[in-house]
Amino acid sequence: MIYAPVSKPTIVTSNITAVETKDFSLTCQATGQIHAYQWFINGVAPAGSRIQLSPDKRTLTLSRLTRRDNKGPYECEIRNPFSSNRSDPFTLDVAYGPDIATIDHIRDQFAMGINVTLSCVADSNPPAQFTWLQNGQSVSNSASFSIITSLNHIGNYTCIATNSFTGLTRTANKTLMIYAPLSKPTILTSNNTEVETKDFSLTCYATGQIHAYKWFINGVAPAGRRIQLSLDRRTLTLRSLTRSFNKGPYVCEIENPFYHNRSDPFTLDVAYGPDIATIVHSADEYPTAANITLSCVADSNPAAQFTWLHNGQPVSNSATFSIIASLSDAGTYTCTASNSFTGLTCTATKNIIIYGPVSKPTIVTSNITAVETKDFSLTCQATGQIHAYQWFINGVAPAGSRIQLSPDKRTLTLSRLTRRDNKGPYECEIRNPFYSNRSDAFTLDVAYGPDIATIDHISDQFTTGINVTLSCVADSNPPAQFTWLQNGQSVSNSASFSIITSLNHIGNYTCIATNSFTGLTRTANKTLMIYAPLSKPTILTSNNTEVETKDFSLTCYATGQIHAYKWFINGVAPAGRRIQLSPDRRTLTLRSLTRSVNKGPYVCEIENPFYRNRSDPFTLDVAYGPDIATIVHSADEYPTAANITLSCVADSNPAAQFTWLHNGQPVSNSATFSIIASLSDAGTYTCTASNSFTGLTCTATKNITIYAPLSKPTIVTSNITAVETKDFSLTCQATGQIHAYQWFINRVAPAGSRIQLSPDKRTLTLSRLTRRDNKGPYECEIRNPIYNNRSDPFTLDVAYGPDIATIDHISDQFATGINVTLSCVADSNPPAQFTWLQNGQSVSNSASFSIITSLNHIGNYTCIATNSFTGLTRTANKTLMIYAPLSKPTILTSNNTEVETKDFSLTCNATGQIHAYKWFINGVAPAGRRIQLSPDRRTLTLRSLTRRDNKGPYVCEIENPFYRNRSDPFTLDVACE
């Protein structure tokens, strides 16, 4: 290997301008046989998490530049085994900001005619450019501008600070308010008239820039629950005005931060009333020809207007008027006081009565006849204006709880008249405030009775052929009239009558005593019973047949005058809860008959006060059952062709009749029958035992199953393909009478949390399939009580993957012209299909492909592995960087002239794929506090130039992982004062 000396490298930057917070790269640009690159920042090797070197160390990248930490200077050095060279130093000038835009502190509010200056500052490199907007319209392009305030200057002012190098913009806002003098306010009211008890509002009306409204009542701020201010305090509302408290005066004041003004005082004249209308004191009652004067007063502002009405008709429009009393002047007088301002009206009323002489009263009774125990009323009948009635009994005022007067005392009512106490005499008197008169005396004749009707005492019962006399008496005024009835038919109109007893005389005898004056009727009753000999009774039953558990009744049937019935069972009186007698004991009921206890014999007996007789004995034959129907023991399950015999028994009196049903259809009417089993004979067999006498039916049921041989089952899957991590189900498909399903995996019963069986065990589900554990083989078996069968083995081929897509290991960076092969692998069943993308565009559909590197091949390469059975896709990524040779850099300066004591910057200007910049001053890396490198080391800044120390020469070098280049030397000519 022959090595030539390496050229001087130059530093090439990734961007023209280094911007704070951005990443910035410096590339060491050089040509020749370069084995290694090395960087120096401020003369030492770069270090820190924010400084990164490319794999070949040709490019130095500064992450998130800062204005202070990343100035430099930066130098890059290249070497091979026999030579080395270093770039000129490179210092960064980091562009930043603007940081924060601030408007110099001034007030927000001004009066008109004030000179106001608005200034904006924002720290920025290079210095920011400023724009001012007023309400969104441009007004200035300088940092400061001035105005003479007017109303046109009201609004929002925005300062916009911009740095075209960083691309950042900052804004600051200030809102100015300019105020003009305020006009004098006036007070507007809500109504033309202020009315007591009404709400009344006063509004402060003014124009201009008003910030606040204030009110004053009698010179002080308003207070109290009845005074309310609107939210903006512009309107003052007085709730429920009063005549004394709300006069005022009221004043409103307006203000803003620079001006204020006050209205003229405003005083209220509150309209009220009329309060109460009052008729001046005068009498309510007058005799005819009296002089009557009526006057009305009512407090009101303004004064009230008056109207008088007599019985609703107008009679006067003045406060006072007079009349000479006559009967037509009686009635209601109404005074109405009105106030048209308040809208109120109040009235006062007086009732006046005019009296004339009263006539002589008479006594009128409520009935023609006064009847004892009845109420009897006497009414005082008279005409005229009567104010009071008064009664006298035997010359004194009436008293006692049985004497009642109507509310007006006109009617006197005697409650429950008596024959001795209420004769009288009675008088009534009438009066009014000016006259009186009395009636003639009135005496009562009280009718009473009949008091009690009584039949003379005789016996109630007789045999036929006896002479009997019936007599009736009753006290009455006037004397009572008598009537006799036999069983409701009239038999005599005298007080007494006689009979010779026969059965025709049986019944009820009624004596009726009547008084036509009192309207009362009294009765007395006597029932006569005439008895003849009794016939022999017979026993009748409620049913033709006596049935066990049913109720059964026996009735004693006989004719004649029967007073009582008696029963005998086995010669003694009936007893026990299950034996009941009707209320007249004629019917004996046996509850829930039993076959052994209720046979008898039964006898019934009849009697009256004079005779008795007994029936013949009666014995029961109790029908019962069938008790329980039972199918004689036989199996429930049979194979086809088996001989099946079914028999049924049931205890019953009389003997039961049998019927057999198969699935509801009749098949036999005998107790026993046989069949040769076939599938159609399966089902429900019902034996029905019946007793037509008891009406009872009982049944017994047997379900018989007939089994045929089972077909061989097959295994059906839920999906065409079994996919790893997915659930997969196998269903046992078979026909026939299947009672149970059973599965076998590798010839044993399935077990484990990932294996689930459906409730009928027909379906086996494998949760989250795996390629190794779930192959099988799988078998399913079906069974019934007679037969069983098993499927052929079934083995799973589990589809999986692709697992992980991997790109075979190759470098990430290449020079142009290199043959590079990209290969992708991914484990998958079935094998994966591959697609390659370059920067999102398809470039190949095979697992591997090759390229001859050029700058067009820079970018991200994605391998996509796909399995259409599993639906899975895996990707792998690799980013390739292809580098071309770097051009020679040049040094650009920040100023046309280098001036002593001033700062001076040199920028390494180059194009291409630059990873790092290096600077060399006099052949070595720059060092010292006065030398600063930008974060990307592209710009070298000399602080406070001196004529001796800063001449140079300066060289910048650029590089990337494969190439580097260096600028020509640059020497300063420092100007001095």
Side-chain angles (χ1 to χ4, degrees):
M1 187 65 191
I2 309 300
Y3 291 94
V6 294
S7 65
K8 183 175 182 175
T10 58
I11 295 175
V12 180
T13 62
S14 58
N15 300 310
I16 296 171
T17 306
V19 180
E20 189 169 44
T21 75
K22 305 290 185 182
D23 293 350
F24 192 79
S25 296
L26 301 94
T27 300
C28 194
Q29 184 92 352
T31 59
Q33 298 158 297
I34 304 164
H35 273 211
Y37 294 86
Q38 188 171 359
W39 286 90
F40 301 92
I41 304 174
N42 296 324
V44 297
S49 60
R50 289 178 44 250
I51 297 173
Q52 296 175 353
L53 290 171
S54 61
D56 60 359
K57 301 188 184 297
R58 188 182 176 201
T59 298
L60 181 146
T61 299
L62 302 163
S63 298
R64 304 184 303 284
L65 282 178
T66 67
R67 64 191 74 173
R68 299 177 185 86
D69 299 335
N70 298 114
K71 291 180 178 177
Y74 297 82
E75 294 171 283
C76 77
E77 183 177 280
I78 57 175
R79 292 193 302 276
N80 65 31
F82 295 94
S83 64
S84 66
N85 211 335
R86 185 177 287 201
S87 71
D88 293 328
F90 181 88
T91 303
L92 288 183
D93 181 21
V94 179
Y96 62 84
D99 290 344
I100 298 173
T102 307
I103 297 173
D104 283 351
H105 182 66
I106 60 169
R107 296 195 313 273
D108 297 330
Q109 299 175 335
F110 298 92
M112 289 176 59
I114 306 300
N115 191 340
V116 177
T117 299
L118 296 167
S119 296
C120 188
V121 294
D123 188 16
S124 177
N125 179 33
Q129 293 83 45
F130 294 93
T131 301
W132 282 90
L133 304 177
Q134 178 191 0
N135 298 324
Q137 300 298 317
S138 176
V139 292
S140 176
N141 289 320
S142 60
S144 299
F145 75 102
S146 298
I147 57 173
I148 302 300
T149 57
S150 70
L151 294 181
N152 292 331
H153 294 114
I154 295 171
N156 182 59
Y157 289 81
T158 302
C159 160
I160 304 172
T162 305
N163 184 336
S164 59
F165 286 89
T166 64
L168 295 178
T169 297
R170 306 292 186 189
T171 61
N173 290 282
K174 180 172 282 293
T175 300
L176 294 187
M177 189 64 198
I178 313 301
Y179 292 94
L182 294 169
S183 65
K184 182 173 182 174
T186 58
I187 294 175
L188 302 180
T189 62
S190 57
N191 302 311
N192 292 332
T193 306
E194 312 91 85
V195 179
E196 189 170 46
T197 75
K198 305 290 187 182
D199 294 348
F200 190 78
S201 296
L202 302 94
T203 299
C204 193
Y205 178 75
T207 59
Q209 299 158 294
I210 303 166
H211 270 210
Y213 295 86
K214 290 183 181 177
W215 286 91
F216 301 92
I217 305 174
N218 298 324
V220 297
R225 287 184 303 170
R226 288 178 44 252
I227 297 174
Q228 294 180 351
L229 290 170
S230 61
L231 292 177
D232 59 1
R233 307 183 73 83
R234 187 183 175 200
T235 299
L236 181 146
T237 299
L238 302 163
R239 299 290 185 195
S240 303
L241 280 178
T242 66
R243 63 194 74 172
S244 52
F245 295 132
N246 296 115
K247 291 180 179 178
Y250 297 82
V251 173
C252 80
E253 182 177 278
I254 57 174
E255 65 180 11
N256 64 33
F258 295 92
Y259 304 98
H260 64 92
N261 212 336
R262 187 175 284 202
S263 71
D264 293 329
F266 183 91
T267 305
L268 294 183
D269 180 22
V270 179
Y272 62 87
D275 289 346
I276 299 172
T278 305
I279 297 173
V280 177
H281 182 67
S282 60
D284 297 329
E285 299 172 339
Y286 296 91
T288 53
N291 191 346
I292 304 172
T293 299
L294 298 173
S295 295
C296 189
V297 295
D299 187 16
S300 176
N301 177 32
Q305 296 82 44
F306 294 93
T307 302
W308 281 92
L309 304 176
H310 173 221
N311 295 329
Q313 298 300 317
V315 292
S316 175
N317 288 322
S318 61
T320 302
F321 79 104
S322 297
I323 54 174
I324 302 299
S326 68
L327 291 179
S328 63
D329 294 318
T332 300
Y333 287 84
T334 302
C335 160
T336 301
S338 303
N339 183 336
S340 60
F341 286 90
T342 65
L344 295 177
T345 298
C346 62
T347 60
T349 300
K350 178 179 281 291
N351 290 313
I352 290 180
I353 302 172
I354 311 298
Y355 293 97
V358 294
S359 65
K360 181 174 181 173
T362 58
I363 294 174
V364 178
T365 62
S366 57
N367 299 310
I368 296 172
T369 305
V371 179
E372 188 172 47
T373 75
K374 305 287 186 183
D375 294 347
F376 191 79
S377 295
L378 301 94
T379 298
C380 194
Q381 188 82 16
T383 59
Q385 296 159 293
I386 303 164
H387 265 210
Y389 294 86
Q390 188 170 358
W391 286 90
F392 300 93
I393 303 174
N394 298 322
V396 298
S401 60
R402 287 177 46 250
I403 296 173
Q404 295 176 353
L405 292 171
S406 62
D408 61 358
K409 300 187 184 299
R410 185 184 175 201
T411 298
L412 181 147
T413 300
L414 302 164
S415 298
R416 304 183 304 283
L417 280 176
T418 67
R419 62 196 75 173
R420 300 176 185 85
D421 297 335
N422 297 114
K423 291 181 178 180
Y426 296 84
E427 295 171 283
C428 78
E429 183 177 283
I430 57 173
R431 293 194 302 276
N432 66 33
F434 300 95
Y435 305 98
S436 65
N437 213 334
R438 184 177 288 199
S439 71
D440 295 329
F442 182 89
T443 303
L444 288 183
D445 178 24
V446 180
Y448 62 87
D451 288 346
I452 297 172
T454 306
I455 297 173
D456 284 349
H457 182 68
I458 60 170
S459 175
D460 296 330
Q461 297 177 340
F462 300 92
T463 60
T464 55
I466 305 300
N467 190 342
V468 176
T469 298
L470 296 168
S471 297
C472 190
V473 293
D475 187 17
S476 177
N477 177 33
Q481 295 83 43
F482 293 94
T483 301
W484 280 93
L485 304 177
Q486 178 191 357
N487 297 324
Q489 299 297 318
S490 177
V491 292
S492 176
N493 287 320
S494 60
S496 299
F497 78 103
S498 297
I499 59 172
I500 303 297
T501 61
S502 69
L503 292 180
N504 291 332
H505 294 114
I506 295 172
N508 182 58
Y509 289 82
T510 302
C511 162
I512 302 172
T514 303
N515 182 336
S516 60
F517 286 91
T518 65
L520 293 178
T521 296
R522 304 295 185 187
T523 61
N525 290 282
K526 180 175 284 288
T527 299
L528 296 186
M529 192 62 199
I530 313 299
Y531 291 98
L534 293 170
S535 64
K536 183 174 183 176
T538 58
I539 295 176
L540 302 179
T541 61
S542 58
N543 301 310
N544 291 332
T545 306
E546 312 91 83
V547 180
E548 189 171 46
T549 76
K550 304 291 186 181
D551 294 347
F552 191 77
S553 295
L554 301 95
T555 300
C556 192
Y557 180 75
T559 58
Q561 300 155 296
I562 303 166
H563 271 212
Y565 295 87
K566 289 183 181 178
W567 285 91
F568 301 93
I569 303 174
N570 296 323
V572 296
R577 288 183 302 169
R578 288 177 46 248
I579 297 174
Q580 294 179 354
L581 291 170
S582 62
D584 61 359
R585 306 181 73 83
R586 186 184 175 198
T587 299
L588 181 146
T589 300
L590 302 164
R591 299 290 184 195
S592 303
L593 280 178
T594 67
R595 62 194 75 173
S596 55
V597 181
N598 297 115
K599 291 182 179 179
Y602 297 82
V603 173
C604 77
E605 182 178 277
I606 56 174
E607 64 179 8
N608 64 31
F610 299 95
Y611 306 98
R612 70 176 57 191
N613 212 337
R614 185 176 285 201
S615 71
D616 294 328
F618 183 91
T619 304
L620 294 182
D621 180 20
V622 178
Y624 61 87
D627 290 344
I628 298 171
T630 304
I631 297 173
V632 177
H633 182 68
S634 61
D636 296 329
E637 297 169 338
Y638 297 91
T640 53
N643 191 344
I644 304 172
T645 299
L646 297 173
S647 295
C648 190
V649 295
D651 187 18
S652 177
N653 177 33
Q657 295 84 44
F658 294 94
T659 301
W660 281 93
L661 304 176
H662 173 219
N663 294 329
Q665 297 301 317
V667 291
S668 176
N669 288 321
S670 62
T672 301
F673 79 104
S674 297
I675 56 175
I676 303 299
S678 68
L679 290 179
S680 62
D681 295 318
T684 301
Y685 287 85
T686 303
C687 160
T688 302
S690 302
N691 183 335
S692 60
F693 286 90
T694 64
L696 295 179
T697 297
C698 62
T699 61
T701 299
K702 177 178 282 291
N703 289 313
I704 290 179
T705 306
I706 311 298
Y707 292 98
L710 294 170
S711 65
K712 183 172 184 174
T714 57
I715 294 175
V716 179
T717 62
S718 58
N719 300 310
I720 296 171
T721 305
V723 179
E724 189 170 43
T725 75
K726 304 289 186 182
D727 294 350
F728 190 79
S729 295
L730 301 95
T731 299
C732 195
Q733 186 85 9
T735 58
Q737 299 156 293
I738 303 165
H739 273 211
Y741 295 86
Q742 188 169 359
W743 286 89
F744 300 92
I745 305 175
N746 297 324
R747 298 201 172 272
V748 296
S753 60
R754 288 178 45 249
I755 296 174
Q756 296 177 351
L757 291 171
S758 61
D760 61 358
K761 301 188 184 299
R762 186 185 175 201
T763 298
L764 180 146
T765 299
L766 303 163
S767 298
R768 305 184 302 283
L769 280 178
T770 69
R771 63 193 73 172
R772 300 176 186 85
D773 298 335
N774 297 115
K775 291 181 179 179
Y778 296 83
E779 295 172 283
C780 77
E781 184 175 281
I782 56 174
R783 293 193 304 274
N784 64 34
I786 312 294
Y787 303 100
N788 66 297
N789 211 336
R790 186 177 289 201
S791 70
D792 293 327
F794 181 90
T795 303
L796 288 183
D797 179 21
V798 179
Y800 61 86
D803 290 344
I804 298 172
T806 306
I807 298 172
D808 283 352
H809 183 66
I810 60 170
S811 174
D812 296 330
Q813 298 176 335
F814 299 92
T816 54
I818 306 298
N819 190 339
V820 176
T821 298
L822 296 168
S823 295
C824 189
V825 293
D827 188 19
S828 176
N829 178 32
Q833 295 83 44
F834 293 94
T835 300
W836 281 92
L837 306 177
Q838 178 192 358
N839 298 324
Q841 298 298 318
S842 177
V843 292
S844 176
N845 289 321
S846 61
S848 300
F849 76 104
S850 298
I851 58 172
I852 303 299
T853 59
S854 70
L855 292 181
N856 292 330
H857 295 114
I858 295 171
N860 182 59
Y861 288 81
T862 302
C863 161
I864 304 172
T866 305
N867 184 336
S868 60
F869 286 89
T870 65
L872 294 179
T873 297
R874 305 294 186 188
T875 61
N877 291 282
K878 180 174 282 291
T879 300
L880 295 187
M881 188 64 197
I882 314 300
Y883 293 95
L886 295 168
S887 64
K888 183 174 183 174
T890 58
I891 295 176
L892 302 178
T893 62
S894 59
N895 301 309
N896 292 330
T897 306
E898 309 94 83
V899 180
E900 190 170 43
T901 75
K902 302 292 186 179
D903 294 349
F904 190 78
S905 296
L906 301 95
T907 299
C908 192
N909 188 36
T911 59
Q913 299 157 293
I914 303 166
H915 275 212
Y917 295 86
K918 288 183 182 179
W919 286 92
F920 300 93
I921 305 174
N922 298 322
V924 297
R929 289 181 301 168
R930 289 177 45 250
I931 296 173
Q932 295 179 349
L933 290 170
S934 62
D936 60 359
R937 305 183 73 86
R938 186 183 176 203
T939 300
L940 180 147
T941 301
L942 302 164
R943 299 292 185 191
S944 304
L945 280 177
T946 67
R947 67 192 74 173
R948 301 179 185 87
D949 298 336
N950 298 113
K951 290 182 178 180
Y954 296 84
V955 173
C956 78
E957 183 178 275
I958 57 174
E959 68 177 9
N960 64 31
F962 295 93
Y963 304 98
R964 69 174 62 190
N965 211 338
R966 187 174 283 201
S967 71
D968 293 329
F970 182 89
T971 304
L972 293 182
D973 181 18
V974 178
C976 60
E977 296 178 1

